Amino acid sequence: MTDEAVAICDLKRFAADYAYKNEKEIMIESITAKNGKKVAVIGAGASGLTCGYYLVRNGYEVDVFEQEHLAGGVLAFGIPEYRLPKEVLAHEISLIEKTGVRIHLNTKIGEDILFEKIKQEYDSVYIATGTQFPEKIRIEGEDLPGVIHGINFLKEVNSNLKYSMQGKVIVIGGGNTAIDSARTALRCGASEVVVLYRRTIDAMPAYEAEIHEAVLEGVKIIELASPKRFVADQQGRVASIECIRMQLGEFDKSGRRKAIPVENANFTVDADYVIVAVSQYSDLPFIKKEEIGVTRWGTFVVSDQTLMTTMEGVFAGGDVTRGPDTVIQAIADGKKAAESIDKYLGGKGVLNKGKSIEIPGFADEDEIVALHRFPLNILQVEHRTKSFDEVVLGYHKLNAMAEAMRCLHCDRR
Ligand SMILES: Cc1cc2nc3c(=O)[nH]c(=O)nc-3n(C[C@H](O)[C@H](O)[C@H](O)COP(=O)(O)OP(=O)(O)OC[C@H]3O[C@@H](n4cnc5c(N)ncnc54)[C@H](O)[C@@H]3O)c2cc1C
């Protein structure tokens, strides 16, 4: 047996041992007795659901109001099925409902129920309405048939996995919405998918692994290109894009190099569909802007410590305060808001996180730390574009535990 094989065996034995000892110990703890106070949550995305979950566990009655017919927010309508199977999401949400969180679907605050009424009837409110609106790029032809905005496209496909599109699809943008749109377009039947990005691939905000998988699946990327206008065919439908060739200039405030147009280097690409995926923004139509502090980006002004807005007893978090961010950040805000709301309503701000579990010391021997990661199980490329089957299938249980139990010393890198 090689040294590496011995080290892997040790690591797996360690994990198996731990699994055996703790299997029966990890249980959901009981919920604190009700305290007679009611909290309303607006938006059943990652942030709103997390806040509701912890508040119920601390004894509050929680009503979550959601405008869509499904809970989950971006997790349900944005992130595609092949990255997050909706069955898994539905199961997680059902666990949250089992704790006692009441989710009212098809209920838009501002239309079906006025915000003022919510404020009157509840002791506190958490607003977690995310960024629902696609940012436009404001160039000629953006309203032509065949030009779709990324978040709207993903929402349509997530609601109907049989959605079909033929021909060449051009996606504009370099974030997760753009890459998700490109990979989704392939699965909907597009014969060619090209992403246009104004900087270089290494500066794309999308996750590197997602870009890598997209390229493996056949998505092409044209770097240093920016759309100037969308051009229609004789029927008035988008047929091509006039693009500006870009080059890299000085570094900007974000630490990335600026993209600068190259003169007299415009070029044209054909397109049967264009998906514009540059960003999303939030709108807060249910509160009068003069009654609450709003930043110049249209997000709420909140206290860093408590997430309370400038309106007494009204808290906000997740994308609606940060702009497009990450799931874990939305969850963290939901948890922080639950602590603050508990304090605001007279509690100690200590969440009921259930019975603590023993976390064993990690394996820190040099040969274990130096081992490569176990490879993830991944769906073969040839099976991917014909279906929405999950692509990253995860680790074998023991491999996952073994990975979690070694310290990779990220702090030293
Ligand atoms: C395509 C895409 C891919 C992404 N991929 C990743 C990823 O891989 N990893 C990652 O960490 N992050 C990713 N993100 C970002 C991440 O999904 C978000 O940051 C996070 O989900 C935001 O959660 P939230 O609860 O703040 O808002 P949302 O999930 O947007 O939830 C807000 C909810 O509020 C509801 N709502 C809005 N207005 C009202 C109203 N007036 N009344 C009632 N309900 C209302 C909405 O319908 C929605 O359900 C991605 C985002 C997108 C768009």
Side-chain angles (χ1 to χ4, degrees), residues 11 65 117 119 125 206 234 239 241 292 302 312 320 357 388:
L11 196 54
F65 298 97
K117 189 160 189 281
K119 248 199 110 213
V125 183
Q234 285 182 340
I241 310 174
I292 197 159
V302 290
E312 183 69 20
V320 74
I357 54 169
F388 279 88

Side-chain angles (χ1 to χ4, degrees), residues 91-355:
H91 175 68
E92 293 291 322
I93 294 174
S94 76
L95 294 179
I96 292 175
E97 281 183 294
K98 271 190 194 147
T99 60
V101 174
R102 294 184 294 248
I103 304 177
H104 307 273
L105 300 173
N106 299 310
T107 310
K108 185 170 183 175
I109 301 308
E111 274 182 33
D112 300 308
I113 304 179
L114 291 181
F115 177 71
E116 292 70 25
K117 189 160 189 281
I118 295 274
K119 248 199 110 213
Q120 273 165 18
E121 289 188 1
Y122 290 85
D123 297 295
S124 181
V125 183
Y126 181 54
I127 302 177
T129 45
T131 49
Q132 307 301 313
F133 303 93
E135 202 76 72
K136 295 204 158 189
I137 39 174
R138 297 186 177 82
I139 59 172
E140 186 186 324
E142 194 167 3
D143 296 326
L144 287 174
V147 179
I148 324 164
H149 288 88
I151 189 75
N152 298 343
F153 167 67
L154 292 170
K155 197 167 182 178
E156 286 221 22
V157 181
N158 268 317
S159 311
N160 168 23
L161 293 182
K162 298 219 160 55
Y163 185 102
S164 125
M165 61 200 319
Q166 279 83 43
K168 183 169 176 180
V169 177
I170 306 290
V171 179
I172 295 166
N176 282 324
T177 307
I179 298 299
D180 283 351
S181 298
R183 295 177 72 191
T184 297
L186 275 182
R187 286 159 173 78
C188 291
S191 52
E192 190 180 355
V193 179
V194 180
V195 175
L196 281 190
Y197 184 54
R198 65 198 179 107
R199 292 187 164 105
T200 45
I201 294 179
D202 56 321
M204 278 182 157
Y207 294 129
E208 207 181 316
E210 296 297 319
I211 301 170
H212 174 76
E213 296 302 328
V215 171
L216 279 185
E217 287 168 10
V219 171
K220 296 181 191 122
I221 299 178
I222 302 183
E223 302 172 297
L224 296 168
S226 181
K228 182 163 188 254
R229 66 186 179 108
F230 301 126
V231 184
D233 60 15
Q234 285 182 340
Q235 284 74 46
R237 194 188 150 82
V238 72
S240 63
I241 310 174
E242 185 185 340
C243 302
I244 306 168
R245 172 67 61 208
M246 311 297 280
Q247 62 185 344
L248 294 180
E250 298 289 301
F251 286 92
D252 66 14
K253 277 190 208 143
S254 73
R256 295 183 302 173
R257 290 176 67 184
K258 280 186 199 152
I260 305 166
V262 179
E263 271 184 43
N264 302 321
N266 287 9
F267 62 99
T268 300
V269 286
D270 295 338
D272 295 298
Y273 289 90
V274 176
I275 301 176
V276 178
V278 285
S279 193
Q280 287 97 235
Y281 70 95
S282 51
D283 194 14
L284 316 162
F286 52 86
I287 305 188
K288 292 190 193 97
K289 305 275 186 298
E290 57 278 14
E291 288 180 4
I292 197 159
V294 176
T295 67
R296 65 191 166 102
W297 298 279
T299 53
F300 285 119
V301 173
V302 290
S303 146
D304 281 353
Q305 274 84 43
T306 65
L307 299 188
M308 183 141 89
T309 64
T310 55
M311 196 181 270
E312 183 69 20
V314 176
F315 297 75
D319 282 6
V320 74
T321 56
R322 299 175 175 275
D325 208 306
T326 59
V327 178
I328 197 62
Q329 197 58 68
I331 289 173
D333 280 358
K335 214 165 161 185
K336 185 168 176 180
E339 281 169 2
S340 301
I341 291 172
D342 183 48
K343 261 194 199 158
Y344 176 76
L345 295 177
K348 292 200 171 93
V350 178
L351 301 182
N352 172 359
K353 295 180 190 160
K355 190 173 170 187

